[in-house]
Amino acid sequence: MYPDKRIRILIADDEPNIVQFLELGLLGEGYDVHTAQDGEEALQAARDFKPHVAILDVMMPERSGFEVCKAIKDSGDKIAVIMLTAKDDVTDKVRGLTLGADDYMVKPFSFDELLARIQARLRNQFPDLLSAVAYGPFLIDDRKNEITYMDRVLELSPTEYDLLKFLVMNHGAVLSKTTILDKVWSYDFGGENNIVEVYIRSLREKLGDKEHRLIRTLRGAGYRVDLP
């Protein structure tokens, strides 16, 4: 629905376990992900998918990550390239950076570190994308403190904005009332015990969610947002 606001990431690696791990993790973070298992496929995906960030393994069949990186940079497409390698070799790092790579990571690495590197590249090269991110029919724009649902801007109070953003960004997960109070109202909240229910009811009204199919109540467990 908002193809211009989705952050697209290409993962190119010939190790299926790594590809699957990164794909699932990045999809869970709300990114639009495309994968490739050799250099030729990666280069074609860079042309067709037009990623904002390309994560390229150095050693791949058909074409190496170095070759793919050079071809991407020579094309003039605005794509941030993060190179992956199984060895901490200064020569490889220098070669990759010389060919235009924007960052370099050595396997094994933590997923949180990769996320931080991706965010750094996006802040540097695509700052506007970070202010508005799409989750299914929702578009969350932190720059405007605005949430759009089905092409309609919702009229939300600051607390409603924070609550809906938290629910949507954690879609698919069951969120207990205690967790919601902690994350949205913080530990020192001293208000009414049913404050979460009151705000959930208000959000459902504004979303037209009369049958509670969008924000679901799981009795005794909490709430869960289900997105298409």
Side-chain angles (χ1 to χ4, degrees), residues 119-224:
Q119 288 288 313
R121 298 326 320 157
L122 291 171
R123 281 194 301 271
N124 182 264
Q125 294 178 239
F126 304 97
D128 290 343
L129 281 175
L130 295 181
S131 65
V133 181
Y135 295 87
F138 290 95
L139 183 69
I140 300 177
D141 192 334
D142 280 337
R143 183 176 51 185
K144 299 178 181 178
N145 277 350
E146 184 177 274
I147 298 179
T148 302
Y149 174 65
M150 300 291 287
D151 294 327
R152 175 171 60 91
V153 177
L154 300 172
E155 296 294 332
L156 303 173
S157 70
T159 301
E160 287 174 335
Y161 176 87
D162 290 341
L163 174 57
L164 184 56
K165 177 182 174 181
F166 180 65
L167 292 171
V168 170
M169 289 182 67
N170 291 278
H171 65 90
V174 179
L175 304 170
S176 69
K177 187 169 74 171
T178 300
T179 297
I180 293 172
L181 283 171
D182 175 25
K183 298 298 183 180
V184 178
W185 278 271
S186 78
Y187 281 111
D188 58 359
F189 174 72
E192 299 294 330
N193 290 332
N194 68 337
I195 191 69
V196 175
E197 291 91 334
V198 171
Y199 273 83
I200 291 289
R201 188 182 310 123
S202 176
L203 288 179
R204 283 171 171 159
E205 289 177 1
K206 294 184 178 184
L207 292 166
D209 186 23
K210 294 180 181 180
E211 298 181 2
H212 305 178
R213 291 182 177 177
L214 184 59
I215 303 178
R216 296 185 178 273
T217 300
L218 285 80
R219 193 173 299 277
Y223 300 94
R224 185 185 72 217

Side-chain angles (χ1 to χ4, degrees), residues 63-140:
R63 287 175 179 248
S64 70
F66 293 130
E67 292 176 279
V68 177
C69 175
K70 184 178 187 305
I72 287 175
K73 294 301 182 177
D74 287 348
S75 72
D77 290 337
K78 190 178 178 183
I79 300 175
V81 174
I82 299 176
M83 303 292 294
L84 303 181
T85 182
K87 56 182 180 180
D88 191 5
D89 190 319
V90 174
T91 303
D92 275 359
K93 288 183 180 180
V94 171
R95 184 181 177 189
L97 295 172
T98 301
L99 292 172
D102 300 281
D103 208 341
Y104 212 100
M105 295 191 69
V106 178
K107 299 176 184 178
F109 53 84
S110 74
F111 183 69
D112 286 343
E113 181 183 0
L114 177 62
L115 284 180
R117 301 288 185 100
I118 290 172
Q119 288 288 313
R121 298 326 320 157
L122 291 171
R123 281 194 301 271
N124 182 264
Q125 294 178 239
F126 304 97
D128 290 343
L129 281 175
L130 295 181
S131 65
V133 181
Y135 295 87
F138 290 95
L139 183 69
I140 300 177

Side-chain angles (χ1 to χ4, degrees), residues 13-14 37-41 59-64:
D13 197 306
D14 62 341
Q37 294 191 352
D38 64 60
E40 198 63 50
E41 187 180 351
M59 301 298 294
M60 289 189 292
E62 305 298 335
R63 287 175 179 248
S64 70

